[in-house]
Amino acid sequence: APPQSRSGHVTSRALHVTLAPGDNGANFRCEAAPARQGAPPTRSAPVRLRVIFPAQSVSISVSPREPRPGHALSLTCRAGPAHPAPELTWIRPG
């Protein structure tokens, strides 16, 4: 982390993180500990990350596997993981 800085009575320190989809839901906490003995106790502030990322995979399954004319067919599209959950749309070109 970069060094902390001070502006008036406010001290700050940044933390730079390169996020990945697995960081969704990660918890971080900043603690402000007393700089001298006898000062008020440590305070902290938590944050939980909501990392937005597209679906990592999309697949289609066909049932029955060998469709025949006149029979019903089921196509199932599965996408994920993603955040937020994707909106799936079927498109038939032409």
Side-chain angles (χ1 to χ4, degrees):
Q4 64 185 33
S5 62
R6 189 165 169 90
S7 177
H9 296 287
V10 177
T11 303
S12 63
R13 172 177 266 164
L15 176 64
H16 302 286
V17 180
T18 300
L19 299 174
D23 293 318
N24 187 44
N27 292 305
F28 284 84
R29 186 176 74 235
C30 175
E31 291 186 350
R36 60 184 170 78
Q37 211 168 16
T42 299
R43 302 266 182 179
S44 67
V47 66
R48 184 172 186 174
L49 300 181
R50 289 180 34 118
V51 180
I52 296 174
F53 59 96
Q56 293 180 346
S57 65
V58 178
S59 65
I60 298 174
S61 61
V62 180
S63 181
R65 283 198 161 302
E66 296 180 14
R68 302 186 188 267
H71 292 166
L73 172 71
S74 177
L75 300 173
T76 304
C77 180
R78 294 178 189 253
H83 187 266
E87 182 69 32
L88 302 177
T89 303
W90 283 102
I91 299 169
R92 182 179 179 183

